């Protein structure tokens, strides 16, 4: 996903991205976005978000990685009108420590560096992260930028709760959690979104975009945590 967002930022120079190993040709552990049984994996949904008509991304602008820019891009005919908000947040509480907001206007396919933020001196990088949110006529898109490798991030936690609805699953989190989503071993089902990071107090509703709502589901979060989602009632993870 990071590479796709980067190339979209450079759309006026070279914005083409070719996905290799989209599907697995036999049951195996591999880099493919879709497994042998045609079930989308985590990478599929990250690419799905990155290939939306309007996209947002965060990149450092200097070698010391103390200044970051949030960029917006449009890769389809038309125009983009919206607001981009770049925030520095404390991971444990979700509190906003610094922020900048800018208007985004694109008259045709292209990209613009909209908002720049400097990290405060002495910042504890493993306890903070950057969040960029682009609100536009077509919806809302977001990007996260962690300031250290994920294995070194501190402050993650809280309970993720999920329950079924007539047409999907509602997930919410009391803390900052990574890769929250649902999955099933049944016939392929493509959700409108899946495997996303949640900020403290956030809630999302997942709905089926293609296929049928599976009967057997697992709530997943983080790096391999899972719990069976009952047909009635809530589950916590």
């Amino acid at each position: 996903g990071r590479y796709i967002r980067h190339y979209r930022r450079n759309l006026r120079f070279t914005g083409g991205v070719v996905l290799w190993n989209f599907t697995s040709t036999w049951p195996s552990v591999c880099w493919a976005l879709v497994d042998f049984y045609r079930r989308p994996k985590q990478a599929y949904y990250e690419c799905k978000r990155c290939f939306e008509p309007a996209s947002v991304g965060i990149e450092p602008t200097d070698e010391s990685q103390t200044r970051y820019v949030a960029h917006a891009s449009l890769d389809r005919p038309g125009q983009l009108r919206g607001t981009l908000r770049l925030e520095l947040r404390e991971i444990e509480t979700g509190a906003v420590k610094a922020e900048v907001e800018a208007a985004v206007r694109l008259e045709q396919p292209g990209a613009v560096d909209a908002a720049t933020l400097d990290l405060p001196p002495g910042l504890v990088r493993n306890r903070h992260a950057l969040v960029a949110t682009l609100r536009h006529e077509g919806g809302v898109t977001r990007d996260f930028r962690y300031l250290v490798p994920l294995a070194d991030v501190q402050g993650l936690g809280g309970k993720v709760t999920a329950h079924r609805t007539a047409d999907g699953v509602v997930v919410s989190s009391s803390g900052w959690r990574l890769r929250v989503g649902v999955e099933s071993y049944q016939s392929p089902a493509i959700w409108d979104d899946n495997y996303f990071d949640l900020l403290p107090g956030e809630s999302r509703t997942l709905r089926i975009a293609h296929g049928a709502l599976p009967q057997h589901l697992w709530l997943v979060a983080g790096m391999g945590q899972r719990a069976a989602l009952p047909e009635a009632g809530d589950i916590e993870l």
Side-chain angles (χ1 to χ4, degrees):
R2 186 64 58 200
Y3 294 105
I4 298 172
R5 296 178 196 274
H6 169 76
Y7 284 118
R8 290 194 59 162
R9 182 189 181 198
N10 292 308
L11 189 60
R12 63 185 181 277
F13 303 117
T14 172
V17 177
V18 177
L19 289 177
W20 177 78
N21 203 12
F22 183 78
T23 56
S24 180
T25 54
W26 57 80
S28 63
V29 177
C30 68
W31 294 101
L33 273 64
V34 179
D35 72 12
F36 174 78
Y37 302 100
R38 299 302 182 259
R39 295 173 302 204
K41 295 153 68 174
Q42 292 196 20
Y44 172 91
Y45 287 99
E46 175 60 11
C47 289
K48 183 175 183 289
R49 288 187 287 267
C50 290
F51 281 121
E52 291 178 352
S55 178
V56 63
I58 308 171
E59 293 188 27
T61 66
D62 61 332
E63 190 173 339
S64 64
Q65 297 194 20
T66 57
R67 171 174 290 183
Y68 288 81
V69 63
H71 54 87
S73 68
L74 177 68
D75 71 349
R76 317 289 163 86
Q79 61 182 19
L80 175 63
R81 298 281 189 275
T83 302
L84 194 155
R85 186 182 187 89
L86 177 60
E87 301 170 326
L88 173 66
R89 286 180 176 253
E90 183 181 50
I91 295 173
E92 185 174 3
T93 64
V96 177
K97 297 299 182 179
E99 60 186 298
V100 60
E101 187 172 287
V104 173
R105 294 177 64 91
L106 287 170
E107 304 299 333
Q108 58 187 357
V112 59
D113 289 350
T116 302
L117 191 149
D118 292 301
L119 301 183
L123 180 76
V124 181
R125 297 177 70 96
N126 63 352
R127 292 188 172 275
H128 295 81
L130 293 166
V131 181
T133 305
L134 174 63
R135 301 182 182 278
H136 56 99
E137 296 173 351
V140 180
T141 184
R142 174 185 277 174
D143 187 31
F144 289 81
R145 184 86 187 204
Y146 297 95
L147 306 176
V148 296
L150 284 181
D152 299 326
V153 171
Q154 296 183 17
L156 298 170
K159 291 289 186 181
V160 177
T161 303
H163 70 270
R164 298 176 187 251
T165 65
D167 61 348
V169 177
V170 177
V171 295
S172 57
S173 180
S174 63
W176 193 310
R177 296 294 297 270
L178 305 178
R179 310 297 189 269
V180 176
V182 293
E183 57 189 37
S184 171
Y185 290 133
Q186 289 178 245
S187 56
I190 299 178
W191 301 83
D192 57 358
D193 201 3
N194 210 351
Y195 303 114
F196 40 75
D197 295 358
L198 279 180
L199 298 175
E202 281 193 333
S203 180
R204 298 275 296 274
T205 300
L206 288 71
R207 294 185 173 88
I208 292 292
H210 301 282
L213 182 65
Q215 179 182 2
H216 302 289
L217 288 170
W218 284 267
L219 170 67
V220 297
M223 304 301 172
Q225 295 175 286
R226 65 171 56 228
L229 183 60
E231 293 190 34
D234 297 347
I235 188 69
E236 284 188 350
L237 186 61

